[in-house]
Amino acid sequence: MAIAGGGHRPEMLRRKTLANNSRMLILLSALCMPLAVYLLVIGSPFPFAMAALGLAAGMTTLALHQRKLFEQAAAGQVYALLLIGALLTLADQQLGDAGLAIAVMAPIMASLLGQQQLRRQSWIMFASVLGLAGLAGMLSLPPIPVSASVLVGTSIIGFGIAAFIVIHSANRINAAYEVYDKAQMTAYRHLIEHVQDGVIRFSSDGQILLASRSSEQLFGCRRYELSGAGLGERLHVLDRPAYLTAFADANQGGKSRTIEVRMRQDDPRATTNLPRFIWVEISLSPVIDPETVGQRHEVVALFHDITRRKDNEIAMAEARRTAEEASAAKSRFLATIGHELRTPLNAVVGFSEMMTSDIGGELSTTHREYAGLIHQSGKHLLEVVRMLLDMSKIEAGKFELQTEPFVVEDMIAPCFSMVDAMAQAQDVTLVADVASHLPMLVADERACRQILLNLLSNAVKFSYPGGRVTVSLKRQGQSLNLSVSDNGVGMAPESLSRIGEPFFQAEDGLARRYEGTGLGLSIVKGLVDLHQGTLRAMSEIGAGTTVTVLLPINGPAIKSEETGSVTPFRKEPAAAQIHSWQDEKRKAQ
């Protein structure tokens, strides 16, 4: 409703102008009708036909306007002028008659009230009327029979009515332009004065032409204090070269630039004379004028206070540094305490094993049981220490892979034997499902054994009595698919999304049913990432869990030309999202 099609004119004023034109055409035609009827009675029907045509055109276009067919109403008024002009031209075939003058007003009316298509059509139809007049003159066709005095009077009245309607339309459209321009300027001025960021407009020679009210709040001074060298003096000495370079690019090169500088902000309530600097983001945009190509441009600058953002960035950098130092200290602590614990634990495990072997003398049944518990607890502590050391090495990036080709299916039996006692205690069956013709895997065999062993231990631990744990090996494209699945307790989605986090356990607290440190899957995730592989997990509470590891067949630096490309015929199920190996915030904790 605010803007007209392609001319950017206020639409409401255009529509009101169309309605007023129709009403004026009806009124003026009605005023001429008594005289036209009189002339019709005395034998001159031409004035009556012209008045009736004007009355019909006014009523038709007004009806179209009331039905909101505004473009059709504009076209009706333009066509009416062309038709009246054509009739007067046929009545008076002299070149430059009133008919052609009325017809030439039709394109003017179309340019004021119509769209591009109507403007084009009006010029084509005017050319047709002009051609019709010329053809009639060349062929000496008989004109419409009208007496000279009646024709002159009709032409004068018709031209006057047409000129009055066109002048009225021009005045209304001109008023519409003025109203629109004034509204636009008011809106722009209101926007500049009330925008939160400071707005400053520079002339082509760098002088300040306009400064917004918000710039007073930004710099803590009056606007007139920014003129001259006032703005430049507020720039930090170290940031002035960057500002001058960016301003020159916008002023001379016509390029938009955005820079971050420090600027002085005055505080009348300050108790000291020390200057206070704030961080400001300045967006410099040149005002491009096609008529001033190759010359300097005016520049509009937008000043945005980013002090809080800069403070947050500094705080985040400090927090990141603190977190990294805490993580490094934690890793050093784990490595140190791990090495310090290993020596006494080895002695505890060794001497307890000697005691159970009766090397120092035969023990009683009770003492033998105690020695066995000491030996079992010592081995458990050694395993925990080993896992802590491995995790600290992975976290510190000091875990080095010794990659070499090996037959991956050969590691299943040793891993089964290591967890067999645990599986028998849980009454869990271990099953291997190995595809045929598997290629050799280029990887760290010890790391791969640890991956499989940790996955098997978790699967057995969380299986129901009488359950089943299946290890499957198959090729999947350029990777080897190692999957360990069970039909145990399963995991909730919120727990599944945190797989790989160190010390994470689905059940927290001292009352949890399952033992462990929560490091097994985090070590698996770290070793898989070192191999540039992928860890996926799918689980359902009460139905079990499937953990899948994809390892590149040719090692971390995979070579596609050696591995080849395999097109899978069966789409793999969607994998659960695995979070990144280590969250920085949890590192700090």
Side-chain angles (χ1 to χ4, degrees):
M1 298 292 292
I3 302 298
H8 296 284
R9 298 170 297 209
E11 181 67 8
M12 292 302 299
L13 288 177
R14 185 181 79 101
R15 295 178 181 180
K16 289 181 180 180
T17 303
L18 289 172
N20 291 339
N21 289 347
S22 299
R23 295 188 182 99
M24 287 188 298
L25 188 58
I26 293 173
L27 178 61
L28 295 176
S29 299
L31 291 176
C32 296
M33 187 58 70
L35 179 60
V37 172
Y38 172 74
L39 294 175
L40 174 65
V41 172
I42 63 176
S44 296
F46 185 74
F48 178 80
M50 298 295 291
L53 179 60
L55 188 63
M59 296 177 66
T60 302
T61 53
L62 184 60
L64 291 173
H65 184 278
Q66 292 176 350
R67 294 186 179 184
K68 301 186 182 303
L69 302 175
F70 306 110
E71 300 307 322
Q72 290 83 343
Q77 294 179 9
V78 172
Y79 295 158
L81 289 179
L82 287 169
L83 183 57
I84 292 173
L87 292 177
L88 286 174
T89 299
L90 293 178
D92 185 5
Q93 298 181 357
Q94 296 181 2
L95 187 62
D97 58 356
L100 290 178
I102 294 175
V104 80
M105 293 183 189
I108 300 175
M109 177 77 76
S111 64
L112 293 173
L113 301 177
Q115 303 297 330
Q116 184 66 32
Q117 183 178 2
L118 180 61
R119 299 172 192 173
R120 186 167 51 252
Q121 292 177 356
S122 63
W123 282 109
I124 294 175
M125 296 183 67
F126 172 72
S128 301
V129 172
L130 188 61
L132 179 64
L135 184 63
M138 292 176 56
L139 300 179
S140 301
L141 297 177
I144 298 176
V146 184
S147 62
S149 58
V150 173
L151 180 60
V152 171
T154 303
S155 299
I156 293 174
I157 294 174
F159 179 79
I161 293 174
F164 178 75
I165 291 175
V166 172
I167 292 173
H168 169 264
S169 300
N171 288 334
R172 290 302 299 267
I173 295 301
N174 184 55
Y177 273 114
E178 293 178 357
V179 170
Y180 180 72
D181 292 341
K182 184 178 180 180
Q184 291 290 90
M185 292 301 297
T186 303
Y188 292 149
R189 187 178 297 110
H190 181 274
L191 175 64
I192 291 175
E193 290 295 330
H194 294 84
V195 71
Q196 293 183 354
D197 298 336
V199 181
I200 296 180
R201 181 182 176 188
F202 298 90
S203 65
S204 58
D205 56 356
Q207 299 298 321
I208 295 179
L209 300 177
L210 177 146
S212 66
R213 183 184 305 171
S214 52
S215 61
E216 297 180 347
Q217 301 176 358
L218 179 64
F219 298 113
C221 65
R222 296 294 183 182
R223 281 181 270 190
Y224 65 83
E225 297 180 24
L226 299 175
S227 60
L231 182 65
E233 291 177 352
R234 293 182 176 274
L235 286 165
H236 196 280
V237 176
L238 298 179
D239 295 332
R240 291 179 184 178
Y243 171 79
L244 294 175
T245 301
F247 187 86
D249 290 341
N251 178 244
Q252 302 176 15
K255 301 176 182 179
S256 299
R257 288 288 183 265
T258 300
I259 58 173
E260 296 178 357
V261 298
R262 288 159 290 183
M263 302 191 73
R264 190 181 77 248
Q265 184 184 58
D266 296 339
D267 186 2
R269 295 172 295 181
T271 57
T272 63
N273 294 327
L274 294 177
R276 178 178 183 268
F277 285 89
I278 60 174
W279 278 98
V280 178
E281 182 184 72
I282 306 178
S283 300
L284 300 167
S285 301
V287 181
I288 305 298
D289 188 355
E291 297 181 358
T292 60
V293 178
Q295 302 179 10
R296 295 175 179 266
H297 308 284
E298 293 186 357
V299 178
V300 176
L302 190 66
F303 294 77
H304 178 60
D305 187 355
I306 58 171
T307 305
R308 181 174 299 179
R309 192 188 78 188
K310 284 291 185 179
D311 292 342
N312 292 337
E313 291 177 357
I314 295 174
M316 289 177 62
E318 181 64 21
R320 185 182 298 110
R321 185 187 63 80
T322 305
E324 290 174 353
E325 290 179 355
S327 177
K330 182 195 68 175
S331 299
R332 290 194 300 269
F333 169 77
L334 291 176
T336 303
I337 201 67
H339 286 293
E340 291 297 327
L341 287 175
R342 262 188 169 179
T343 301
L345 282 176
N346 284 327
V348 170
V349 172
F351 282 109
S352 62
E353 186 175 2
M354 291 173 60
M355 292 175 65
T356 56
S357 302
D358 296 333
I359 293 178
E362 187 176 356
L363 300 178
S364 64
T365 305
T366 304
H367 290 165
R368 189 183 302 278
E369 181 183 356
Y370 292 165
L373 292 175
I374 294 173
H375 181 73
Q376 182 180 357
S377 300
K379 290 184 64 177
H380 178 70
L381 283 177
L382 276 177
E383 181 65 20
V384 172
V385 170
R386 182 189 62 80
M387 295 178 70
L388 285 173
L389 289 175
D390 286 343
M391 192 197 70
S392 63
K393 287 181 181 180
I394 294 173
E395 193 176 66
K398 297 180 180 179
F399 194 102
E400 297 182 0
L401 297 179
Q402 303 295 329
T403 58
E404 58 182 3
F406 69 96
V407 180
V408 67
E409 54 263 34
D410 290 346
M411 71 178 183
I412 296 180
C415 291
F416 273 8
S417 63
M418 298 175 87
V419 298
D420 186 59
M422 182 181 178
Q424 290 181 6
Q426 291 282 103
D427 192 19
V428 174
T429 304
L430 302 177
V431 179
D433 181 14
V434 181
S436 58
H437 306 295
L438 287 178
M440 297 185 70
L441 178 66
V442 179
D444 189 321
E445 185 175 359
R446 186 184 69 86
C448 292
R449 287 177 183 269
Q450 190 170 355
I451 290 173
L452 180 56
L453 188 60
N454 288 350
L455 294 180
L456 281 173
S457 300
N458 273 0
V460 172
K461 182 193 305 182
F462 294 102
S463 294
Y464 294 118
R468 181 187 181 97
V469 173
T470 303
V471 177
S472 64
L473 278 174
K474 62 180 179 179
R475 176 169 178 168
Q476 182 175 328
Q478 300 175 359
S479 301
L480 186 72
N481 185 313
L482 169 62
S483 297
V484 178
S485 58
D486 62 76
N487 52 0
V489 296
M491 300 177 65
E494 56 270 16
S495 299
L496 191 66
S497 62
R498 297 184 61 185
I499 281 182
E501 296 182 8
F503 304 104
F504 170 72
Q505 292 177 316
E507 292 184 356
D508 294 330
L510 299 176
R512 62 181 187 268
R513 294 174 294 173
Y514 304 99
E515 297 181 352
T517 59
L519 293 175
L521 284 178
S522 65
I523 293 176
V524 169
K525 183 68 169 62
L527 294 176
V528 170
D529 287 345
L530 289 177
H531 283 85
Q532 298 180 5
T534 305
L535 177 66
R536 300 175 180 174
M538 294 184 295
S539 184
E540 183 179 352
I541 296 179
T545 303
T546 299
V547 180
T548 302
V549 173
L550 297 178
L551 298 175
I553 294 176
N554 283 342
I558 186 168
K559 302 174 184 177
S560 301
E561 63 275 7
E562 296 182 6
T563 304
S565 150
V566 175
T567 303
F569 291 96
R570 178 173 62 85
K571 185 177 180 181
E572 289 292 322
Q577 182 181 0
I578 301 299
H579 284 199
S580 60
W581 156 239
Q582 186 68 24
D583 184 78
E584 295 295 336
K585 185 180 292 185
R586 293 190 177 89
K587 277 186 178 181
Q589 296 173 351

